[in-house]
Amino acid sequence: MIVYQKWLESVGDLASSTSRSFFSTMRRGGRDSRGRRQRYRMAHEDRRFPENTVRYPGIGVIHQRFGQTSEEQLFSNSLPNPALEEFLDILGRRVRLKDHEGYRGGLDTIHGHTGAESVHTTFRDREIMFHVSSLLPFTENDPQQVQRKRHIGNDIVSVVFQDANTPFTPNMIVSHFLHSFVVVQVVEPNSSNTRYKVSVTSRSDVPFFGPPLPSPAVFRKGPEFQEFLLTKIINAETAAYKAERFAKLEASNE
């Protein structure tokens, strides 16, 4: 059974989150003081990226409509959806895959087998290709939407975009790789007062990653929210590689 913990971080939560990571490390047998110092620095990461950040992460984007509570429902959503499209403009720019010459994140830029468009951005010299479920091919008579899940289920971090207040739990999606979800719920979309509520849920062995969420974790649409969100996403990917599953893979390759 996969255990997740939900972090609604604020500045006051930093010390307790660091303590949880520290004592979790001690229960696994401990590390030397240098390792603990590195862990402490990462837990207090603000808007800087750790040096070992994955340069080109592929990040999932899942659309959750009101009342949807199953994997089949989540992967069945398609565009157009004005609220989602407004949010995608914050994440990056829409690119035609056949014309795209940058990082492709495993998407097909020749034959169109993974759809016609996707969302791509370059943020602080890091390219990100988003695997947007609603832009990946929809297959009739396939309730599992294998084409969509093949990409998002192999990502490590996914954004869950909610256009209404609906509960989300990570166990809705069966995946051995997804370790962290950044859940974004829109308020008053496509207006001059568009806002986004943000929460984060991760597997229990993923250490804390910044920047911390403010209290309340509500952001107005704009450049500041974009910077916060992209920083949070990339730091989530970096932190996930310190989880037990990936640590074992790294150890086996040494």
Side-chain angles (χ1 to χ4, degrees):
M1 178 180 178
I2 298 172
V3 179
Y4 287 85
Q5 58 187 4
K6 189 170 185 179
W7 289 318
L8 295 178
E9 306 103 323
S10 65
V11 174
D13 290 330
L14 279 172
S16 60
S17 298
T18 305
S19 299
R20 286 197 299 271
S21 297
F22 175 80
F23 287 113
S24 175
T25 301
M26 295 301 290
R27 284 196 297 270
R28 292 196 298 268
R31 294 181 180 176
D32 60 22
S33 59
R34 180 183 177 187
R36 288 196 290 270
R37 285 198 301 271
Q38 290 174 339
R39 193 182 188 90
Y40 181 85
R41 283 198 299 270
M42 193 194 74
H44 285 73
E45 192 69 53
D46 186 13
R47 293 180 183 270
R48 298 165 296 173
F49 292 116
E51 292 181 358
N52 62 343
T53 298
V54 177
R55 184 171 175 80
Y56 302 126
I59 305 296
V61 179
I62 301 168
H63 180 200
Q64 183 183 24
R65 296 179 185 270
F66 177 74
Q68 292 185 331
T69 57
S70 70
E71 180 178 285
E72 290 77 11
Q73 291 173 325
L74 296 178
F75 285 118
S76 69
N77 295 322
S78 296
L79 293 175
N81 181 278
L84 174 60
E85 293 182 89
E86 179 184 33
F87 176 67
L88 294 179
D89 288 340
I90 295 173
L91 290 179
R93 64 184 183 90
R94 194 81 66 89
V95 295
R96 284 180 51 83
L97 288 174
K98 286 189 176 181
D99 299 331
H100 182 63
E101 297 180 351
Y103 174 64
R104 62 188 183 91
L107 300 181
D108 180 11
T109 57
I110 299 175
H111 304 291
H113 292 160
T114 56
E117 295 183 326
S118 191
V119 175
H120 173 274
T121 192
T122 300
F123 180 68
R124 298 189 182 180
D125 298 323
R126 290 164 173 83
E127 285 188 81
I128 304 174
M129 178 63 81
F130 291 94
H131 297 151
V132 183
S133 176
S134 299
L135 292 175
L136 291 168
F138 178 84
T139 306
E140 295 287 349
N141 301 319
D142 179 10
Q144 295 184 333
Q145 294 302 318
V146 174
Q147 274 274 60
R148 293 176 167 185
K149 187 175 177 181
R150 180 168 66 90
H151 291 281
I152 296 174
N154 285 310
D155 290 332
I156 295 172
V157 176
S158 183
V159 177
V160 178
F161 175 78
Q162 300 178 322
D163 52 20
N165 185 10
T166 294
F168 172 79
T169 61
N171 290 329
M172 291 178 183
I173 301 172
V174 179
S175 170
H176 292 294
F177 290 96
L178 282 169
H179 274 57
S180 293
F181 295 87
V182 180
V183 183
V184 180
Q185 183 184 125
V186 67
V187 180
E188 296 187 57
N190 303 107
S191 73
S192 59
N193 195 32
T194 300
R195 305 180 305 284
Y196 297 96
K197 298 179 181 179
V198 180
S199 60
V200 179
T201 182
S202 300
R203 294 194 188 193
S204 58
D205 57 346
V206 175
F208 177 86
F209 52 91
L213 291 176
S215 181
V218 180
F219 298 82
R220 288 191 175 275
K221 176 185 174 182
E224 184 176 341
F225 173 56
Q226 180 188 52
E227 179 174 337
F228 177 93
L229 185 61
L230 293 176
T231 304
K232 192 72 170 174
I233 288 169
I234 292 180
N235 283 346
E237 176 112 357
T238 303
Y241 280 109
K242 297 180 181 293
E244 183 178 359
R245 177 183 180 87
F246 296 109
K248 286 181 178 178
L249 288 174
E250 183 178 359
S252 66
N253 291 328
E254 291 180 352

